[in-house]
């Protein structure tokens, strides 16, 4: 079966619609997806950015919010601008990484909904604990594993791996042959490539 | 009839495939297109960029060239990387602005082909003169009008207008109601909006 990796960052705006629609698109093309949460912070730091480029360059930020609004409207997704933006996504990323398979996918989508549909603060332990409980998981147990030294180190490795792959933003689809497709607007192309139709 | 503006910059890589395919897409949706050449330089300068962001951020540049290669492959467009990149697009933009209607469109596509299919230097007067001659125009006459004070001033106004519209990159589709769709990958969405299907 064809496979692809879906690299996403919880603070990333375009990762929100992508996370909400990628599974269905992948299934329709027969592509098995591995969900890989990572942090963009270290990658942005290499570019000299200590904040989101959408804040550093206000005109770019204005364009992005309007673009995202149109995208969410077209998908019927509610959109609430998180405050502060970007959210600190460290805890959510650690938790996602501590979960596997469907649990990771389900948790990740719930985090995006909490952040961008409800406007909740995802760096807040209580918010993440509540998302875990609603997903039918034991918050104490999962948070404990998420904050283990091993899992923290694993997340650092994942972010380093993302940089190695040439990932410079989120979301990205990465195919088995190492092609990187950046952006919610490249999901279809990346999945077609993964399914062997784009090669 | 629905209308939209196609804003493009001759130095812009993604403007190349966009210029080659936008007319057909617009016609199929019944949208009349106004082609508006402009310069990104003044807009980038406001962001503090004195070079293409694809040069300032090499990882971004590497991604863009591979992405563009895939896009051109899919469209059957040859791709030769201009050297130097970006090209100085001032002369080409002035000439495009001095032409009207189909002449502007035809000249603009020929410039993109010279630059990105053949790898010619579009700041070279002889290259632009040859493009004009092949388009059936009188190079001396057109170059004279292109370099008149009035036309030079007009190009400055066009670039200022682009900034006012919220344009931060090229290409952009701008609809009658002021929506800006940035990128070769937003052409369809922008044209659908212009045609009233996206509203």
């Amino acid at each position: 079966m064809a496979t692809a990796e879906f690299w996403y960052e919880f603070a990333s705006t375009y990762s929100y619609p992508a996370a909400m629609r990628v599974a269905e698109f992948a299934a329709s093309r027969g592509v098995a997806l591995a969900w890989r949460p990572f942090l963009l912070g270290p990658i942005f730091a290499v570019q000299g950015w200590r904040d989101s480029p959408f804040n550093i360059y206000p005109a770019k930020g204005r364009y992005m919010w309007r673009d995202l609004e149109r995208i969410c409207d077209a998908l019927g997704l509610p959109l609430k601008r998180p405050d502060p933006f970007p959210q600190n996504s460290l805890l959510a990323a650690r938790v996602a990484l501590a979960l596997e398979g469907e649990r990771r996918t389900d948790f990740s989508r719930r985090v995006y909904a909490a952040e961008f549909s409800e406007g909740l603060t995802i760096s807040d332990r209580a918010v993440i604990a509540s998302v875990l409980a609603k997903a039918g998981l034991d918050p104490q147990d999962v948070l404990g594993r998420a904050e283990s030294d091993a899992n923290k180190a694993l997340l650092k490795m994942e972010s380093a791996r993302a940089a190695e792959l040439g990932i410079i933003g989120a979301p990205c689809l990465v195919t088995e042959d190492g092609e990187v497709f950046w952006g919610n607007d490249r999901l279809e192309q990346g999945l077609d490539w993964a399914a062997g139709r784009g090669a």
Side-chain angles (χ1 to χ4, degrees), chain A:
Chain A
M1 188 177 191
T3 64
E5 296 177 337
F6 175 62
W7 289 80
Y8 58 104
E9 148 68 89
F10 286 109
S12 148
T13 52
Y14 288 108
S15 292
Y16 164 48
M20 295 316 200
R21 69 194 194 90
V22 70
E24 192 188 324
F25 277 90
S28 74
R29 285 161 175 84
V31 175
L33 267 195
W35 284 54
R36 302 193 66 167
F38 76 111
L39 298 177
L40 267 176
I43 291 171
F44 282 178
V46 171
Q47 315 273 32
W49 301 331
R50 299 281 158 192
D51 190 359
S52 163
F54 297 126
N55 290 339
I56 298 172
Y57 306 111
K60 206 171 165 130
R62 276 191 298 278
Y63 176 80
M64 179 277 290
W65 288 113
R66 178 61 188 140
D67 189 40
L68 189 67
E69 220 166 59
R70 289 187 305 230
I71 291 168
C72 290
D73 274 358
L75 295 170
L77 285 176
L79 176 62
K80 210 161 174 174
R81 205 187 280 207
D83 180 24
F85 173 80
Q87 293 273 297
N88 181 328
S89 54
L90 180 62
L91 180 63
R94 283 178 177 164
V95 171
L97 198 61
L99 299 170
E100 304 219 329
E102 251 325 294
R103 288 181 172 186
R104 180 183 292 174
T105 307
D106 180 48
F107 169 78
S108 298
R109 279 193 293 236
R110 286 174 186 269
V111 170
Y112 281 114
E115 183 182 8
F116 290 103
S117 310
E118 300 175 59
L120 300 177
T121 301
I122 61 162
S123 58
D124 183 339
R125 269 185 102 71
V127 168
I128 295 298
S130 154
V131 168
L132 285 167
K134 281 180 194 155
L137 299 166
D138 176 353
Q140 283 322 97
D141 168 58
V142 178
L143 281 166
R145 286 190 286 123
E147 293 182 315
S148 67
D149 287 346
N151 194 62
K152 287 178 181 177
L154 191 60
L155 181 59
K156 277 189 192 146
M157 285 170 55
E158 288 292 284
S159 297
R161 175 75 185 135
E164 275 169 27
L165 287 168
I167 288 176
I168 49 168
C172 280
L173 248 236
V174 182
T175 60
E176 287 176 68
D177 55 351
E179 294 287 333
V180 177
F181 297 85
W182 176 27
N184 171 61
D185 49 26
R186 292 290 190 285
L187 288 186
E188 288 84 346
Q189 192 195 1
L191 290 168
D192 282 345
W193 190 286
R197 275 175 275 179

